[in-house]
Every structure is written in structure tokens, then in C-alpha cells.
Amino acid sequence: MRSKNKFSILNSQFLIIKDEWRSVWHDGGVMLIVIVALFIYGISYSLGYGGEVLSEVPIAVVSGDDSVVNQRIVSMLNASPKVQVEYRVADMVEAKQLLAERKIWGVVAPSPNLEKDILSARQDKVAILGDASYFLAYREVVEGAVAAIQQLNDEIVVERNGAYTPSIIYEQRNLFNPSLGYGIFVMPAIILLIVQQTALIGVGMVAATRRERGEGYMLGSPLVITIGRTLVHLAIYALTLGYMLTIHYSLFDYPMRGAWWRCVAVVAPYLLAVIFLAQALGSLFRRRESSLLWLLWLSIPFLLVSGASLPPQAFPEWLYVVGRVVPSSSAVEAWIAVQSRGASLRDVAPELTTLWLLVAIYGVGAVVANRNQRG
């Protein structure tokens, strides 16, 4: 009798997997969201950020005279790949007008007495102004101007105790992102967010469509239904996400510093939590269009609390705590630490604990939801 019951459960499991697989592959809209959108978003975002860094950002130099020092500053700025001196203006009024018109993104303003002070072995200053409303351009302006001024500074020698030495020498190293590329910074998080959103919408559409048509799973307990559906969705996202994190990473030269088993240890609970959440939310909708609209709307707050654009440490405490209910929030933190910085699993233990807790909570929610999916 026990063997017969076991066979009955396995048979029900097989039929549920077959039924769910058919629901996904025979629905053009779901296929578009679950599979095609992942590749389209991944490629389009990666191509969009492919340049990684800006170059030759237009700036102005305030130079009231044609002194040798001012000419040297302009020459060094133009030698930098980051900035390009497009205007030489007489005063800051003219420079601010150019900034207002968005003809330039920054201003370098040497002191009027700079050359005289240098010849007199006195300190002076060079002001650097940047339009911080576009922080990528602001970064290039500041870095390009600082590098040029530092180069000039190294050429200036000051007599000290009878010896001639450069005034200041410094060394800069950019950890984990040597080129300071925006794509390397944002894409690892964006890929996980794309997986979450396409899963929520796609799985939600499957559940809503079946409910709208009055179709249910005829065999199996809610737990068996949940396992069957989850195996189908895991198979799809294991393949697509596996491609994104291997071939796609290689095509666009994204660094992968973490051991593969550590990456799997982060991705596995993340996928389970997302799939269970999608099944739970999908049961709330009676119409296919409703699931699409509501779950698409959730993408904005989910992006906000993920930490993809702003470090979670900068959130208000309440928002940080609320954000933990979204799987991508903990997953993005753990993934960037393991993948970009080569962190150990011990380093991301709090995030992994949160993810497995969400797996348990949303798993129960999915079982309860699939009880309503029975025919």
C-alpha cells in the first residue's frame, strides 16, 4: 500500500510538472517575460553601460591672463582622457553661464596670483567646480582636474634644506573596480533584479491565467503542487541565470572573483525565495492583466530597496528593515560581496540567513496559495 501511495505521489508530481511546463511554453506572453525579456534587458543594459566611463567631458578654464602656468594647466587638462577644455573665460560669471546652458560640466579656476606665488615659493590654490547633478560627469571633471594639477604640482620644486624635492606625491588605487566603470558597478545588481521582476510577472501571469480560465491542478496535495511548479521554474531560471553569470559576464568582461560554489550558495536561496514569492502573489489575481500591472508597479520600490543605486547603509533604519522582505535586497548585498569582492560565505552570513528565512516564509505562502489552485 505504501509503495502504491508513493507511486501515486510521483505520478501526480510528474503530471503537475508537465502541466506547469505546458502553461509556460504555450503562453507567448509568459515566454516573452520569463525568457526573452531576461536576455533583452541583460544585453540592452550591458550595451548601454558598455562604455563604462565618460571621456573628454567639456570644461572651462578661468584664465584672466596667458601666463605660463595657466597655459601649462590647460595643456595638462587637455592631455587627460577625462576632460577637454572647450572654453577659456575671463571670469566666473561667464563660466557659470556656460554651466547653466549645459555647454560644460565643470570649471577649473586658478588663482589670479598663482604664477607669482609659485615663483615666490608660496602656496596658492586652484578651484575646481563640477556639476554634481550628473555625478558621472562630475566624477570625471574632478578626477581629470585633480590629476592634471597634481602633475603640475609634481613639477614644482621647493627648496628645503638645500635639496629640491617634489611638493606632494600620492598613489591612488581603485579596489574591485579599477576603471571605476559604471557597468561593473551596477550590472551585477541589475541582473538579479531582472530575474526577480521577470519571475514575479511571469509566474504571476501563469497563476492568474489559470484562475481566469477556471483551470486548476487536478492531482496532488498543495505541497506536491508547489514542488512541481517550483521545479519547473527553477529549471528555467537556473539555465537563464547560469547563462547570464557565465557567458554574458564573459562577453562584457564583468569580473567574477568569487568561487563558483559560493556564488551558487547565494543564488540558490534567492531563486527559491523569488519563485515562492511569485507563486504566493500570483494567487491574489483573478485576471491576467491585473497581475502584470501590479507586479510591474512593484519594480520601482523593489529597485529602491535593493541597494543597486544607493548603499543600504544610507537608508533610514525603517526602510532598511522593510526592504529585507524583498529577496533582492539581501541577495544583491551578498552577491556583490561574493562576486565582486571575493568575500567568504561567513562574511555574508546575515544576508544568507535572511534569504533562507524568506524561503521558509514564502514557501509556506506558496503552499497556501497553491491550495487555491487545485481543480
Side-chain angles (χ1 to χ4, degrees), residues 33-44:
I33 295 295
V34 172
I35 296 180
V36 179
L38 185 64
F39 291 98
I40 292 177
Y41 284 136
I43 293 173
S44 60

Side-chain angles (χ1 to χ4, degrees), residues 49-93:
Y49 297 130
E52 290 286 6
V53 294
L54 298 176
S55 61
E56 297 187 349
V57 176
I59 64 172
V61 173
V62 178
S63 54
D65 55 54
D66 289 326
S67 66
V68 174
V69 172
N70 280 348
Q71 291 181 20
R72 186 63 178 149
I73 289 176
V74 171
S75 175
M76 289 179 172
L77 288 169
N78 283 331
S80 168
K82 295 180 177 292
V83 295
Q84 179 68 33
V85 179
E86 295 288 347
Y87 300 90
R88 296 186 66 175
V89 298
D91 52 43
M92 282 301 301
V93 174

Side-chain angles (χ1 to χ4, degrees), residues 246-276:
T246 54
I247 298 175
H248 188 86
Y249 261 57
S250 178
L251 288 175
F252 291 94
D253 293 324
Y254 297 142
M256 178 65 78
R257 297 184 176 88
W260 68 267
W261 59 272
R262 290 177 182 169
C263 296
V264 171
V266 173
V267 169
Y270 174 60
L271 283 181
L272 282 172
V274 168
I275 290 170
F276 286 150

Side-chain angles (χ1 to χ4, degrees), residues 271-286:
L271 283 181
L272 282 172
V274 168
I275 290 170
F276 286 150
L277 176 60
Q279 292 182 23
L281 291 179
S283 67
L284 301 177
F285 304 104
R286 295 182 177 276

Side-chain angles (χ1 to χ4, degrees), residues 346-363:
R346 180 178 297 179
D347 295 328
V348 295
E351 288 77 17
L352 290 179
T353 301
T354 300
L355 284 173
W356 281 113
L357 182 61
L358 292 180
V359 169
I361 294 173
Y362 294 144

